[in-house]
Amino acid sequence: MTNSIWDTTLREREGVIHGPFRMPLQMLAEQEYGGHLSIHDSDQAKSLGFIGAPIEGPTHFSQFDPLLHTIWGDNWLESGCISAHFKNMVIEGEEVQAFAKRPDIDDNLTRIWAVKKTGEIVLEGTASLGPEHPETELDRIMSSRPTPDNLVILEQIKIGDRSILNEAVKIDFGQHLGDSYPFTLNQKLEKITEPCKWYSPVSVSQSPWRQPIIPIEMINPLVSFKFNDLLQAKQPSIGLFADLEIKLINGPLLVGQEYLLEKEVVGLGESRRTESMWVKTSVFRKETKDLVATVLLNTAVLKDSYPAYEEEAKKIGKL
């Protein structure tokens, strides 16, 4: 079957829909934050023990759009949610395939996952339909993990910390998004794994909203590029996306539309190699102040990337 909006050929077997293998492209090699390059720089990634620079996690979300639009129609673009835990990095040149379980009739929650050709799982989680969303994958993960004590890199961050951007944000086609996202929407649309008619002004008259919509993988760049270091880890340190949830409530988000943003730290975590911070961003339509979407991001900061980690950890008795 073919989804005409994306012109993507889909297959279904035993209630599971999948798309073709796609080869996502690296667009963050020049990403900077905190005055240094990120994990998406090849040399930086290799210095931390990785085989190469990973593709940014949200890039994979586009491969689910044709599958979930086939299940839920245009409602997916207005109140759909992808809630995903990233399992394995994807390096440019590797191919990825997305899967979604077809839910029972009238069910608004289903399982999703993506795999490499090697069989490695890239991500797994849930997709749901709102605006009243059921418990998501990240809801479940957050509720199952205790809050750690005596963090080092995130020492200054507390649950409940908030940051409000006093200016509206928007994405236009030729707009540069700063050091964190060194490309434009036009450049992304040239390389996106699933081109969509409704992303372009050329065929937008056929869309229900009569304006180009922002791809789901570009919503995190929208909510990230104007914020400074108010809720950042100590620097220099390097983080990577461990979990990401994009939840539309009254969408879609539109190109050129202005939005207001509020961020809140809603969770903290720790593993053997990382300290992590869960930040929820609420997106409001500027004119009406209606809640349009939320973005929940868990950034895992690598302990080995912070030069003073061992010294500071000893001072507080962690080592």
Side-chain angles (χ1 to χ4, degrees):
M1 57 184 165
T2 300
N3 189 308
S4 59
I5 298 172
W6 278 272
D7 196 24
T8 301
T9 300
L10 306 178
R11 298 282 186 266
E12 183 169 356
R13 182 179 179 182
E14 298 180 351
V16 175
I17 306 172
H18 68 80
F21 276 100
R22 299 295 197 198
M23 190 182 295
L25 300 176
Q26 174 64 268
M27 297 189 70
L28 292 182
E30 298 178 359
Q31 183 186 58
E32 293 184 15
Y33 64 89
H36 55 79
L37 294 174
S38 74
I39 191 87
H40 303 287
D41 171 74
S42 182
D43 290 340
Q44 192 80 271
K46 289 176 181 177
S47 72
L48 293 165
F50 298 100
I51 62 172
I55 302 293
E56 188 192 29
T59 303
H60 308 304
F61 282 15
S62 284
Q63 288 186 242
F64 291 99
D65 274 324
L67 285 64
L68 298 167
H69 185 268
T70 296
I71 293 172
W72 285 310
D74 291 349
N75 289 336
W76 168 251
L77 299 172
E78 294 179 326
S79 61
C81 171
I82 291 181
S83 186
H85 172 62
F86 297 109
K87 302 274 288 185
N88 287 289
M89 293 180 174
V90 176
I91 310 301
E92 188 168 81
E94 293 184 308
E95 295 182 71
V96 178
Q97 188 173 38
F99 295 81
K101 190 175 186 295
R102 185 179 288 278
D104 294 334
I105 296 176
D106 297 328
D107 197 349
N108 63 343
L109 180 75
T110 194
R111 298 294 305 177
I112 60 169
W113 62 98
V115 302
K116 302 181 189 182
K117 275 199 167 179
T118 60
E120 276 187 300
I121 297 177
V122 175
L123 64 83
E124 58 185 2
T126 58
S128 59
L129 194 68
E132 298 297 326
H133 290 271
E135 182 182 53
T136 66
E137 181 77 354
L138 297 200
D139 288 333
R140 182 192 64 78
I141 289 175
M142 282 191 64
S143 65
S144 67
R145 296 182 179 175
T147 300
D149 297 320
N150 300 325
L151 295 176
V152 175
I153 311 174
L154 299 176
E155 179 185 11
Q156 306 302 323
I157 305 297
K158 308 298 179 191
I159 294 176
D161 284 352
R162 297 173 64 85
S163 179
I164 299 175
L165 188 64
N166 293 321
E167 59 178 304
V169 299
K170 65 177 180 177
I171 289 184
D172 290 315
F173 287 106
Q175 175 186 359
H176 285 270
L177 302 180
D179 292 339
S180 294
Y181 290 91
F183 54 81
T184 66
L185 177 56
N186 275 333
Q187 291 170 327
K188 168 57 74 173
L189 294 180
E190 290 174 359
K191 296 184 176 182
I192 199 166
T193 56
E194 305 296 334
C196 175
K197 294 178 180 178
W198 293 349
Y199 298 158
S200 166
V202 175
S203 55
V204 76
S205 61
Q206 304 170 31
S207 112
W209 306 281
R210 300 296 188 268
Q211 290 179 258
I213 65 176
I214 298 174
I216 192 168
E217 71 168 271
M218 286 296 289
I219 294 176
N220 189 67
L222 170 70
V223 305
S224 301
F225 81 98
K226 279 288 186 74
F227 273 89
N228 54 27
D229 59 356
L230 288 176
L231 298 177
Q232 277 195 9
K234 293 177 184 177
Q235 298 297 320
S237 61
I238 292 177
L240 65 162
F241 291 0
D243 304 275
L244 178 65
E245 176 181 288
I246 307 289
K247 180 184 290 183
L248 294 169
I249 296 166
N250 185 18
L253 276 70
L254 303 174
V255 177
Q257 178 79 50
E258 292 190 320
Y259 299 97
L260 301 173
L261 308 177
E262 295 183 4
K263 289 183 181 288
E264 181 180 1
V265 178
V266 295
L268 295 169
E270 184 176 18
S271 70
R272 182 178 61 84
R273 293 191 64 192
T274 68
E275 294 183 359
S276 61
M277 172 172 56
W278 296 77
V279 176
K280 180 179 180 180
T281 304
S282 298
V283 184
F284 301 90
R285 192 169 284 111
K286 181 183 177 183
E287 294 80 4
T288 63
K289 308 300 188 294
D290 291 337
L291 180 64
V292 181
T294 62
V295 178
L296 179 61
L297 173 62
N298 176 23
T299 302
V301 185
L302 295 161
K303 294 176 181 178
D304 287 347
S305 72
Y306 182 57
Y309 181 83
E310 186 171 339
E311 176 185 352
E312 293 185 19
K314 286 178 178 178
K315 287 181 180 178
I316 60 174
K318 288 184 72 74
L319 294 178

PDB file of all heavy atoms in Angstrom, residues 126-140:
ATOM      1  N   THR A 126       6.107   3.960  22.128  1.00  0.00           N
ATOM      2  CA  THR A 126       4.680   3.981  21.838  1.00  0.00           C
ATOM      3  C   THR A 126       4.351   5.131  20.901  1.00  0.00           C
ATOM      4  O   THR A 126       5.050   6.139  20.853  1.00  0.00           O
ATOM      5  CB  THR A 126       3.838   4.145  23.118  1.00  0.00           C
ATOM      6  OG1 THR A 126       4.215   5.367  23.789  1.00  0.00           O
ATOM      7  CG2 THR A 126       4.026   2.978  24.056  1.00  0.00           C
ATOM      8  N   ALA A 127       3.266   4.946  20.170  1.00  0.00           N
ATOM      9  CA  ALA A 127       2.622   6.040  19.449  1.00  0.00           C
ATOM     10  C   ALA A 127       1.190   6.103  19.949  1.00  0.00           C
ATOM     11  O   ALA A 127       0.573   5.061  20.221  1.00  0.00           O
ATOM     12  CB  ALA A 127       2.658   5.809  17.943  1.00  0.00           C
ATOM     13  N   SER A 128       0.672   7.303  20.098  1.00  0.00           N
ATOM     14  CA  SER A 128      -0.691   7.450  20.605  1.00  0.00           C
ATOM     15  C   SER A 128      -1.377   8.616  19.930  1.00  0.00           C
ATOM     16  O   SER A 128      -0.742   9.437  19.268  1.00  0.00           O
ATOM     17  CB  SER A 128      -0.688   7.637  22.126  1.00  0.00           C
ATOM     18  OG  SER A 128       0.066   8.785  22.505  1.00  0.00           O
ATOM     19  N   LEU A 129      -2.684   8.658  20.118  1.00  0.00           N
ATOM     20  CA  LEU A 129      -3.496   9.718  19.540  1.00  0.00           C
ATOM     21  C   LEU A 129      -4.242  10.419  20.657  1.00  0.00           C
ATOM     22  O   LEU A 129      -4.834   9.783  21.523  1.00  0.00           O
ATOM     23  CB  LEU A 129      -4.480   9.134  18.522  1.00  0.00           C
ATOM     24  CG  LEU A 129      -5.168  10.148  17.607  1.00  0.00           C
ATOM     25  CD1 LEU A 129      -4.158  10.775  16.650  1.00  0.00           C
ATOM     26  CD2 LEU A 129      -6.293   9.478  16.824  1.00  0.00           C
ATOM     27  N   GLY A 130      -4.174  11.750  20.668  1.00  0.00           N
ATOM     28  CA  GLY A 130      -4.825  12.564  21.688  1.00  0.00           C
ATOM     29  C   GLY A 130      -6.116  13.170  21.168  1.00  0.00           C
ATOM     30  O   GLY A 130      -6.749  12.620  20.278  1.00  0.00           O
ATOM     31  N   PRO A 131      -6.467  14.323  21.715  1.00  0.00           N
ATOM     32  CA  PRO A 131      -5.627  15.154  22.597  1.00  0.00           C
ATOM     33  C   PRO A 131      -5.472  14.637  24.034  1.00  0.00           C
ATOM     34  O   PRO A 131      -4.559  15.036  24.740  1.00  0.00           O
ATOM     35  CB  PRO A 131      -6.334  16.509  22.591  1.00  0.00           C
ATOM     36  CG  PRO A 131      -7.755  16.183  22.288  1.00  0.00           C
ATOM     37  CD  PRO A 131      -7.733  15.008  21.372  1.00  0.00           C
ATOM     38  N   GLU A 132      -6.337  13.716  24.467  1.00  0.00           N
ATOM     39  CA  GLU A 132      -6.176  13.117  25.798  1.00  0.00           C
ATOM     40  C   GLU A 132      -5.370  11.837  25.634  1.00  0.00           C
ATOM     41  O   GLU A 132      -5.907  10.760  25.400  1.00  0.00           O
ATOM     42  CB  GLU A 132      -7.550  12.822  26.420  1.00  0.00           C
ATOM     43  CG  GLU A 132      -8.406  14.058  26.641  1.00  0.00           C
ATOM     44  CD  GLU A 132      -7.778  15.026  27.628  1.00  0.00           C
ATOM     45  OE1 GLU A 132      -7.111  14.553  28.572  1.00  0.00           O
ATOM     46  OE2 GLU A 132      -7.957  16.244  27.453  1.00  0.00           O
ATOM     47  N   HIS A 133      -4.052  11.951  25.754  1.00  0.00           N
ATOM     48  CA  HIS A 133      -3.183  10.818  25.486  1.00  0.00           C
ATOM     49  C   HIS A 133      -3.159   9.841  26.657  1.00  0.00           C
ATOM     50  O   HIS A 133      -3.166  10.247  27.824  1.00  0.00           O
ATOM     51  CB  HIS A 133      -1.764  11.297  25.209  1.00  0.00           C
ATOM     52  CG  HIS A 133      -1.618  12.009  23.896  1.00  0.00           C
ATOM     53  ND1 HIS A 133      -1.322  11.351  22.731  1.00  0.00           N
ATOM     54  CD2 HIS A 133      -1.746  13.322  23.572  1.00  0.00           C
ATOM     55  CE1 HIS A 133      -1.260  12.228  21.736  1.00  0.00           C
ATOM     56  NE2 HIS A 133      -1.510  13.428  22.229  1.00  0.00           N
ATOM     57  N   PRO A 134      -3.088   8.540  26.368  1.00  0.00           N
ATOM     58  CA  PRO A 134      -2.901   7.532  27.431  1.00  0.00           C
ATOM     59  C   PRO A 134      -1.464   7.559  27.922  1.00  0.00           C
ATOM     60  O   PRO A 134      -0.637   8.346  27.447  1.00  0.00           O
ATOM     61  CB  PRO A 134      -3.230   6.226  26.722  1.00  0.00           C
ATOM     62  CG  PRO A 134      -2.857   6.482  25.295  1.00  0.00           C
ATOM     63  CD  PRO A 134      -3.168   7.939  25.036  1.00  0.00           C
ATOM     64  N   GLU A 135      -1.135   6.684  28.873  1.00  0.00           N
ATOM     65  CA  GLU A 135       0.234   6.602  29.381  1.00  0.00           C
ATOM     66  C   GLU A 135       1.181   6.211  28.251  1.00  0.00           C
ATOM     67  O   GLU A 135       0.956   5.239  27.545  1.00  0.00           O
ATOM     68  CB  GLU A 135       0.330   5.573  30.506  1.00  0.00           C
ATOM     69  CG  GLU A 135       1.733   5.482  31.118  1.00  0.00           C
ATOM     70  CD  GLU A 135       1.855   4.432  32.199  1.00  0.00           C
ATOM     71  OE1 GLU A 135       1.489   3.263  31.916  1.00  0.00           O
ATOM     72  OE2 GLU A 135       2.308   4.758  33.311  1.00  0.00           O
ATOM     73  N   THR A 136       2.243   6.984  28.102  1.00  0.00           N
ATOM     74  CA  THR A 136       3.198   6.760  27.029  1.00  0.00           C
ATOM     75  C   THR A 136       4.400   5.950  27.522  1.00  0.00           C
ATOM     76  O   THR A 136       4.540   5.692  28.721  1.00  0.00           O
ATOM     77  CB  THR A 136       3.704   8.099  26.475  1.00  0.00           C
ATOM     78  OG1 THR A 136       4.469   8.768  27.500  1.00  0.00           O
ATOM     79  CG2 THR A 136       2.565   8.994  26.040  1.00  0.00           C
ATOM     80  N   GLU A 137       5.282   5.594  26.594  1.00  0.00           N
ATOM     81  CA  GLU A 137       6.504   4.872  26.955  1.00  0.00           C
ATOM     82  C   GLU A 137       7.334   5.649  27.968  1.00  0.00           C
ATOM     83  O   GLU A 137       7.842   5.092  28.937  1.00  0.00           O
ATOM     84  CB  GLU A 137       7.329   4.601  25.698  1.00  0.00           C
ATOM     85  CG  GLU A 137       8.609   3.848  25.947  1.00  0.00           C
ATOM     86  CD  GLU A 137       8.412   2.357  26.166  1.00  0.00           C
ATOM     87  OE1 GLU A 137       7.244   1.896  26.249  1.00  0.00           O
ATOM     88  OE2 GLU A 137       9.417   1.637  26.252  1.00  0.00           O
ATOM     89  N   LEU A 138       7.474   6.968  27.757  1.00  0.00           N
ATOM     90  CA  LEU A 138       8.311   7.748  28.664  1.00  0.00           C
ATOM     91  C   LEU A 138       7.624   8.009  29.995  1.00  0.00           C
ATOM     92  O   LEU A 138       8.305   8.144  31.017  1.00  0.00           O
ATOM     93  CB  LEU A 138       8.740   9.063  28.007  1.00  0.00           C
ATOM     94  CG  LEU A 138       9.599   8.921  26.753  1.00  0.00           C
ATOM     95  CD1 LEU A 138      10.359  10.208  26.468  1.00  0.00           C
ATOM     96  CD2 LEU A 138      10.570   7.748  26.828  1.00  0.00           C
ATOM     97  N   ASP A 139       6.304   8.062  30.012  1.00  0.00           N
ATOM     98  CA  ASP A 139       5.594   8.099  31.296  1.00  0.00           C
ATOM     99  C   ASP A 139       5.979   6.875  32.126  1.00  0.00           C
ATOM    100  O   ASP A 139       6.270   6.976  33.325  1.00  0.00           O
ATOM    101  CB  ASP A 139       4.071   8.101  31.087  1.00  0.00           C
ATOM    102  CG  ASP A 139       3.542   9.411  30.534  1.00  0.00           C
ATOM    103  OD1 ASP A 139       4.187  10.458  30.767  1.00  0.00           O
ATOM    104  OD2 ASP A 139       2.490   9.378  29.876  1.00  0.00           O
ATOM    105  N   ARG A 140       5.967   5.721  31.476  1.00  0.00           N
ATOM    106  CA  ARG A 140       6.282   4.473  32.176  1.00  0.00           C
ATOM    107  C   ARG A 140       7.730   4.447  32.655  1.00  0.00           C
ATOM    108  O   ARG A 140       8.008   4.079  33.802  1.00  0.00           O
ATOM    109  CB  ARG A 140       6.014   3.284  31.250  1.00  0.00           C
ATOM    110  CG  ARG A 140       6.248   1.927  31.884  1.00  0.00           C
ATOM    111  CD  ARG A 140       6.250   0.824  30.845  1.00  0.00           C
ATOM    112  NE  ARG A 140       7.342   0.957  29.892  1.00  0.00           N
ATOM    113  CZ  ARG A 140       8.599   0.616  30.144  1.00  0.00           C
ATOM    114  NH1 ARG A 140       8.939   0.126  31.332  1.00  0.00           N
ATOM    115  NH2 ARG A 140       9.521   0.756  29.220  1.00  0.00           N
TER     116      ARG A 140
END
